Amino acid sequence: LIPRFGRARRDSELAVLEGLHAVKHALRFGAEIHELVTRSLPQLSGLLERLAPDVAEPVLAAAREVDEELFAKLVPLPPSTGVVAIASRPGVDLAALLSDVRPAPLLLLEDPRDLGNIGACVRVAAAADMAGVLSTGSHDPWHPDALRGGAGLQFALPVTRLAGFGQLTVSDRPVLALDPDGEPLRPRELDPRAILAFGTERDGISEELGALADARISIPMRPGVSSLNLATSVAAVLFAWRLNSG
Ligand SMILES: C[S@@+](CC[C@H](N)C(=O)[O-])C[C@H]1O[C@@H](n2cnc3c(N)ncnc32)[C@H](O)[C@@H]1O
């Protein structure tokens, strides 16, 4: 099990789920689980009864109990809920996602640097029922730490990393760049098929993304505050859209 979990962390077709929250959401949204390990079946059973009775049956059917010492070696930070799993990542059809005519925006994260932030953004996007989440840069939105931050909600909507912005040029969706120096956000005027693009934590929207954008939009802030945290600004904009979309 130890090398299996180690290999799965580096496998771009697999997802390592740490903790009951992530396992629960993955199963709820159709994940194919290959391995599910717990350090205590009675503890897992009790947690499922209390927190996730809807997935109790498949979790317990798949669960393999191991001793505390082995469990501690499967992932770098063993979760307090005592359950970890390996699942397949669902494939993403980018062309279909970009051309999808349903009124749901796409979230685009430019080179996000913090895996916890990436996870928090995916979680908000899933809750607000976005069409999907795209990212650029070196960080994998399916990394185990991003999955932990996203509570496994990467399974609830298409989530994929782009090789570059060139992949967006085939899209007819307008690109709206969120930028503290943009025009004030008017939630009712947000295009329901927009690509809502957020910049990297330190430097904001790049020149390349700015050139691609059809407009720059800001979340109004009190004078003196320079910007919001990335995931916080994503939450504000996505729910501004959601609450105004009828
Ligand atoms: C931590 S901020 C980056 C700060 C960077 N120094 C800048 O000036 O953009 C990360 C991203 O969150 C979004 N953001 C944060 N505060 C915002 C605001 N008030 N209005 C619009 N977008 C905001 C932007 O997309 C920004 O690129």
Side-chain angles (χ1 to χ4, degrees):
L1 277 175
I2 297 170
R4 187 144 189 233
F5 270 83
R7 278 196 305 274
R9 295 183 85 76
R10 298 184 295 277
D11 189 328
S12 62
E13 294 187 359
L14 295 176
V16 174
L17 301 163
E18 300 172 353
L20 184 61
H21 218 24
V23 168
K24 170 189 76 180
H25 281 135
L27 273 167
R28 241 178 226 168
F29 291 100
E32 185 192 347
I33 301 280
H34 301 293
E35 193 70 67
L36 195 150
V37 182
T38 179
R39 66 172 168 225
S40 163
L41 274 170
Q43 182 202 12
L44 181 59
S45 175
L47 284 171
L48 284 164
E49 196 179 319
R50 198 158 52 83
L51 302 172
D54 59 312
V55 294
E57 199 183 310
V59 170
L60 291 173
R64 184 202 298 208
E65 191 177 43
V66 299
D67 64 47
E68 181 94 36
E69 199 186 337
L70 172 54
F71 186 81
K73 291 179 182 157
L74 297 181
V75 297
L77 196 65
S80 60
T81 48
V83 59
V84 292
I86 299 172
S88 284
R89 299 186 192 189
V92 172
D93 181 343
L94 182 63
L97 191 57
L98 292 174
S99 60
D100 191 344
V101 293
R102 283 175 303 160
L106 267 172
L107 172 61
L108 170 63
L109 304 174
E110 180 180 26
D111 194 16
R113 311 303 306 164
D114 183 286
L115 290 163
N117 245 348
I118 298 174
C121 293
V122 170
R123 191 170 179 175
V124 170
D129 210 2
M130 295 288 111
V133 180
L134 309 174
S135 67
T136 64
S138 58
H139 283 5
D140 179 7
W142 285 86
H143 185 283
D145 292 354
L147 279 159
R148 203 186 257 245
L153 283 160
Q154 278 82 348
F155 286 89
L157 73 176
V159 175
T160 193
R161 189 161 37 145
L162 300 175
F165 294 123
Q167 288 181 275
L168 297 178
T169 50
V170 294
S171 169
D172 65 339
R173 291 175 180 263
V175 176
L176 306 180
L178 276 295
D179 179 347
D181 295 326
E183 291 298 313
L185 171 68
R186 291 191 191 84
R188 279 177 218 281
E189 292 173 20
L190 280 178
D191 188 304
R193 288 187 67 248
I195 295 178
L196 300 172
F198 291 76
T200 193
E201 284 92 334
R202 181 173 305 220
D203 298 322
I205 299 286
S206 68
E207 270 183 37
E208 189 186 3
L209 179 53
L212 200 71
D214 296 284
R216 286 183 187 250
I217 296 172
S218 66
I219 305 162
M221 295 181 297
R222 178 181 174 179
V225 178
S226 50
S227 70
L228 295 166
N229 157 276
L230 172 62
T232 309
S233 64
V234 168
V237 174
L238 267 46
F239 273 90
W241 174 77
R242 171 105 184 145
L243 293 169
N244 280 282
S245 66

